[in-house]
Amino acid sequence: LHKFYRWLSETKHRKEISITKPVFLDQNGNAVAAFDNEDQLILFLPVKDVEGYTVVHQELLKNPETRQFMIDIGIKQPSLKDQIYNIILPQYKREGGIDTDPHFKLFFKYYCKCSNDEIDEFIALIKECEFLTYYEEGDPQPYRGSAASMYLPTKDLMDYFETKKDVRFLAIDEYRELVGPAAEEQLISFLTKLGIKKEISIVSHNIDPESSGRDDLPYPYYTKYITYEETVIEGCKEIVEYILDNDDAEKSIVLWNSLLRIIENYCIQWRSLGDVLRGTCRYFYYSEQCIYFTSSDVIRLKESAWIKNIDGVFASPS
């Protein structure tokens, strides 16, 4: 077979030979054409850590002349974009476990190479894919999630969320080791584009008036389709309760500094923290109506004894 490919590559009458579409052995030992009826390449040179393609049998690649002949007629490795768009991304649309270890490196490599015009489209395609690694406390088993579901593990964030055990922190050291120190800036840029959280989040959740224990919720006279929701600071309830239970001055300072950053990030254009953190009661009366009420975090921060006064005694800010 090697001799045949060598003769085919050397002959001056290649165009006259009846084999118009060269045939090779694939990875399973089957004879396959390199090109389809539209002359699109359908047989590729093998690529490490990428499956799903029909590739040339390894035995044929051991002979340099045969390998060169394949390259000369147009057989090549699939492009990085082709690997991502046609092989990797469809895996995330199917049920079942995925080995995501090789994927980050390919995604990051393509991010660093693609043009500015392509970046937003590419990020939109992979943003929801759960290919980033995090660990749960005390568990060496790696778990996967999307960037938007986890935080960058800075010291400030880790100190603040120490009292909330279900927060996901990206295994950043693994990725720093993977890309190398020279690519640190690009790595952070990539993670930021994907939506990794670098500041404490303001989150919204629904309130069940029956089980909430709150007696300050508004009850409009017309109560058809009534719902309650509020915005809160993620982890605020847990850190305040920890300070109250343990008289922890260090965590009180952590909360204070965290609130300053939250005010800086969210309280813009004359918005107060009370405007950012508030509840909304929605109901229907001829049309959609709403009434605003105080968020539980505002009540908690104003009335709980989480801050020290001049005498070193914990007291409420109010």
Side-chain angles (χ1 to χ4, degrees), residues 131-137 139-146 149-151 166-172 174-175:
F131 65 91
L132 294 175
T133 300
Y134 69 95
Y135 293 89
E136 295 182 353
E137 186 177 5
D139 186 356
Q141 171 71 30
Y143 295 91
R144 312 293 184 189
S146 63
S149 71
M150 57 187 79
Y151 285 88
D166 59 346
V167 173
R168 297 177 178 181
F169 282 107
L170 177 73
I172 186 64
E174 293 185 9
Y175 295 108

Side-chain angles (χ1 to χ4, degrees), residues 6-161:
R6 179 179 179 182
W7 169 79
L8 188 59
S9 65
E10 292 176 350
T11 182
K12 297 179 181 179
H13 306 286
R14 188 189 306 176
K15 293 182 180 179
E16 300 174 7
I17 300 174
S18 61
I19 302 178
T20 57
K21 297 187 183 303
V23 176
F24 300 89
L25 296 180
D26 68 9
Q27 68 265 43
N28 299 316
N30 300 318
V32 296
F35 300 88
D36 63 16
N37 292 330
E38 297 178 356
D39 289 328
Q40 295 296 315
L41 188 65
I42 56 175
L43 180 68
F44 298 89
L45 297 179
V47 183
K48 185 179 180 181
D49 296 328
V50 177
E51 298 179 353
Y53 289 101
T54 302
V55 298
V56 176
H57 198 287
Q58 287 287 351
E59 282 298 317
L60 296 180
L61 299 174
K62 293 180 180 180
N63 187 292
E65 294 174 340
T66 302
R67 184 185 183 92
Q68 188 58 49
F69 170 65
M70 296 177 185
I71 294 173
D72 289 344
I73 66 171
I75 296 178
K76 58 186 179 181
Q77 289 184 336
S79 68
L80 182 57
K81 182 177 181 179
D82 188 50
Q83 294 176 45
I84 291 172
Y85 279 66
N86 297 326
I87 300 299
I88 296 176
L89 289 180
Q91 296 179 37
Y92 290 91
K93 298 179 182 179
R94 299 192 293 264
E95 297 279 340
I98 304 172
D99 180 10
T100 65
D101 289 338
H103 295 175
F104 177 87
K105 198 168 184 178
L106 292 174
F107 290 156
F108 182 66
K109 183 179 179 181
Y110 184 70
Y111 172 80
C112 293
K113 287 186 174 183
C114 69
S115 66
N116 290 333
D117 295 337
E118 297 175 303
I119 285 180
D120 289 343
E121 177 189 357
F122 173 59
I123 292 296
L125 282 173
I126 68 173
K127 201 168 188 178
E128 302 301 322
C129 296
E130 298 184 343
F131 65 91
L132 294 175
T133 300
Y134 69 95
Y135 293 89
E136 295 182 353
E137 186 177 5
D139 186 356
Q141 171 71 30
Y143 295 91
R144 312 293 184 189
S146 63
S149 71
M150 57 187 79
Y151 285 88
L152 196 66
T154 62
K155 184 180 185 306
D156 288 341
L157 288 175
M158 295 184 74
D159 285 345
Y160 174 83
F161 282 117

Side-chain angles (χ1 to χ4, degrees), residues 122-303:
F122 173 59
I123 292 296
L125 282 173
I126 68 173
K127 201 168 188 178
E128 302 301 322
C129 296
E130 298 184 343
F131 65 91
L132 294 175
T133 300
Y134 69 95
Y135 293 89
E136 295 182 353
E137 186 177 5
D139 186 356
Q141 171 71 30
Y143 295 91
R144 312 293 184 189
S146 63
S149 71
M150 57 187 79
Y151 285 88
L152 196 66
T154 62
K155 184 180 185 306
D156 288 341
L157 288 175
M158 295 184 74
D159 285 345
Y160 174 83
F161 282 117
E162 188 177 9
T163 55
K164 184 175 170 58
K165 302 304 182 184
D166 59 346
V167 173
R168 297 177 178 181
F169 282 107
L170 177 73
I172 186 64
D173 289 341
E174 293 185 9
Y175 295 108
R176 283 178 172 143
E177 184 178 350
L178 187 65
V179 305
E184 171 82 11
E185 186 175 342
Q186 287 176 303
L187 173 63
I188 300 302
S189 171
F190 179 50
L191 293 170
T192 302
K193 287 274 190 183
L194 287 172
I196 200 79
K197 293 184 281 191
K198 298 193 290 185
E199 298 290 345
I200 299 167
S201 293
I202 303 294
V203 295
S204 177
H205 67 86
N206 294 325
I207 299 175
D208 180 358
E210 300 297 329
S211 60
S212 66
R214 295 185 60 171
D215 56 8
D216 63 324
L217 297 178
Y219 287 92
Y221 180 75
Y222 298 97
T223 56
K224 191 174 184 180
Y225 308 124
I226 188 169
T227 62
Y228 297 88
E229 65 178 355
E230 66 174 351
T231 50
V232 296
I233 303 169
E234 186 171 13
C236 182
K237 177 177 181 290
E238 288 80 5
I239 192 171
V240 169
E241 289 180 349
Y242 183 86
I243 294 168
L244 299 179
D245 291 342
N246 298 277
D247 291 336
D248 193 313
E250 290 186 5
K251 279 290 183 278
S252 175
I253 295 171
V254 168
L255 175 57
W256 172 272
N257 290 331
S258 298
L259 291 174
L260 294 182
R261 289 197 304 276
I262 288 169
I263 291 170
E264 182 179 357
N265 292 328
Y266 291 97
C267 298
I268 55 178
Q269 297 180 346
W270 308 105
R271 296 177 75 196
S272 69
L273 191 58
D275 294 326
V276 176
L277 304 175
R278 68 179 181 184
T280 305
C281 170
R282 290 188 171 87
Y283 65 99
F284 189 86
Y285 179 61
Y286 291 110
S287 63
E288 181 80 13
Q289 308 287 331
C290 69
I291 305 173
Y292 298 114
F293 59 93
T294 305
S295 168
S296 60
D297 269 359
V298 172
I299 298 173
R300 183 175 291 110
L301 290 169
K302 284 184 175 181
E303 299 182 1

